Amino acid sequence: MTTLIWIVVALFAIGLYLSWTAGRLDRLHARIDASRAALDAQLLRRASVAQELATSGVLDPASSIVLYQAAHDARQAEEEHREVAESELSQALRAVFGETEQVEALKLAPGGEEAAGELAAAVRRVPMARRFHNDSVRAARALRRHRTVRWFRLAGHAPFPLAFEMDDEAPVALADRPGT
């Protein structure tokens, strides 16, 4: 009889551990979904601000065309090409706002100070959102690699989480803006 009680206790402990692990994995997947939505919102905000700035008439025509096209491509990119399109927008922002003089010229235009501040904030938030998302992905991947999770199929039918890899280096002239 004592053996039966110990077997029941052991099975209960194993079941409790499996349930806790499955709950943790579910919370990690929910966190990935939330962080991906936040990343998408920040990327959309950055592309929108860049597109609005490109059409405002405060930039020279060549810079406007380059920035508008990169922002448009980033907003319209399909999911499998999104990382490349967002990286190209980062490169376009660095090309247009690579020099402090360009940012200063933007600030002198009517409404330019506000536009520069908004763009700097949008550019600064993207790496933070991407880092948060990739940290969530890393944690879920680590848990999904455990033997217990694989053997008992605790992940269910959830797709394997993928990190979002892109060039998100901010233009130096925008990144170093004090007070924004």
Side-chain angles (χ1 to χ4, degrees), residues 110-130:
E113 181 74 37
E114 182 181 316
E118 194 174 341
L119 182 62
V123 164
R124 201 172 36 252
R125 287 184 180 133
V126 168
M128 290 186 291
R130 189 177 73 85

Side-chain angles (χ1 to χ4, degrees), residues 31-50:
R31 192 169 101 188
I32 287 171
D33 291 342
S35 66
R36 181 57 192 245
L39 175 61
D40 286 341
Q42 291 304 324
L43 291 171
L44 181 63
R45 181 171 183 258
R46 180 181 77 153
S48 297
V49 169

